[in-house]
Amino acid sequence: MKTFSMFSSRVLVGLVLAAASLGTLAQDFKIGAVNIERVLRDSTAAKAVSTKLEQEFSKRDKDLTASIAQLKTASEKFDREAPTLPEAQRVSRQRQLVDQDRELQRKQREFQEDLNLRKNEGLQQVVEKLNRVLKQVAEAEKYDVILQEAAYINPRIDITDKVISIMDGAK
């Protein structure tokens, strides 16, 4: 029993010493936080990605919008004329509308997939640049930890504006 008591007292002393040293470590610990959403929305690099995507995909988007309007007009015309059309002609036009709709849906899916792919590629480049800047800031200003995701960020440790300005200044 004496051995257990001596062991537990050593553990207790060790815990007290560890707790005391944590207090001094906490004072030297430097933490920062970055709002990734804001960086991906407000940085010049992110805005450039958005502008480039808009330029690249605007023509296809306009073409799709025109095709949707054209199909809607053709469908409305068919609905008006269907009761007076002969059976064979009505079935043929209905089949054409279904084929056009199917083709339009395929083009919309392809457009969305291409847009998402290009957007992800562009944002990946921004994130890589962000990570380089975060490492640079952490090393230059002696941060121990920089958090990228948090439910709440105290303005005292928020370095988002600094990171955005460095990203915008660095080429």
Side-chain angles (χ1 to χ4, degrees):
M1 194 61 148
K2 186 176 180 180
T3 314
F4 180 73
S5 164
M6 203 158 102
F7 175 74
S8 62
S9 65
R10 285 185 183 167
V11 170
L12 183 61
V13 168
L15 287 174
V16 169
L17 289 174
S21 66
L22 280 178
T24 58
L25 279 178
Q27 292 171 355
D28 296 337
F29 192 73
K30 189 170 181 184
I31 188 168
V34 176
N35 184 329
I36 297 292
E37 245 180 67
R38 245 183 68 218
V39 173
L40 294 178
R41 181 187 65 228
D42 296 344
S43 69
T44 303
K47 289 177 182 177
V49 167
S50 294
T51 302
K52 184 177 177 183
L53 288 173
E54 189 174 312
Q55 290 171 349
E56 185 177 335
F57 286 92
S58 65
K59 184 185 180 324
R60 278 178 66 185
D61 186 41
K62 287 177 186 173
D63 291 345
L64 280 173
T65 302
S67 295
I68 290 170
Q70 183 182 20
L71 181 61
K72 182 179 179 190
T73 302
S75 180
E76 289 170 351
K77 181 179 178 186
F78 173 75
D79 289 343
R80 282 191 313 270
E81 296 174 354
T84 61
L85 292 174
E87 180 72 21
Q89 194 176 5
R90 185 169 39 84
V91 169
S92 172
R93 284 185 53 192
Q94 189 173 23
R95 189 173 296 132
Q96 285 176 336
L97 288 172
V98 168
D99 290 344
Q100 287 175 348
D101 183 52
R102 189 177 304 125
E103 180 67 15
L104 181 59
Q105 287 179 21
R106 183 189 61 76
K107 285 181 181 179
Q108 285 176 314
R109 271 193 313 276
E110 285 179 359
F111 173 80
Q112 200 60 48
E113 289 170 1
D114 291 347
L115 178 62
N116 288 340
L117 179 67
R118 295 285 293 128
K119 184 177 183 180
N120 289 339
E121 288 172 354
L123 289 179
Q124 183 61 35
Q125 292 173 352
V126 175
V127 168
E128 288 171 5
K129 184 176 183 179
L130 168 64
N131 287 333
R132 285 191 305 272
V133 168
L134 286 176
K135 185 176 181 185
Q136 173 188 340
V137 168
E139 290 172 352
E141 298 185 19
K142 309 283 191 256
Y143 280 96
D144 294 304
V145 174
I146 296 179
L147 301 174
Q148 293 183 357
E149 295 292 328
Y152 169 76
I153 298 174
N154 187 319
R156 181 177 56 79
I157 65 167
D158 188 356
I159 61 170
T160 304
D161 291 331
K162 180 187 301 184
V163 169
I164 290 173
S165 67
I166 292 171
M167 282 182 68
D168 290 350
K171 296 295 173 194

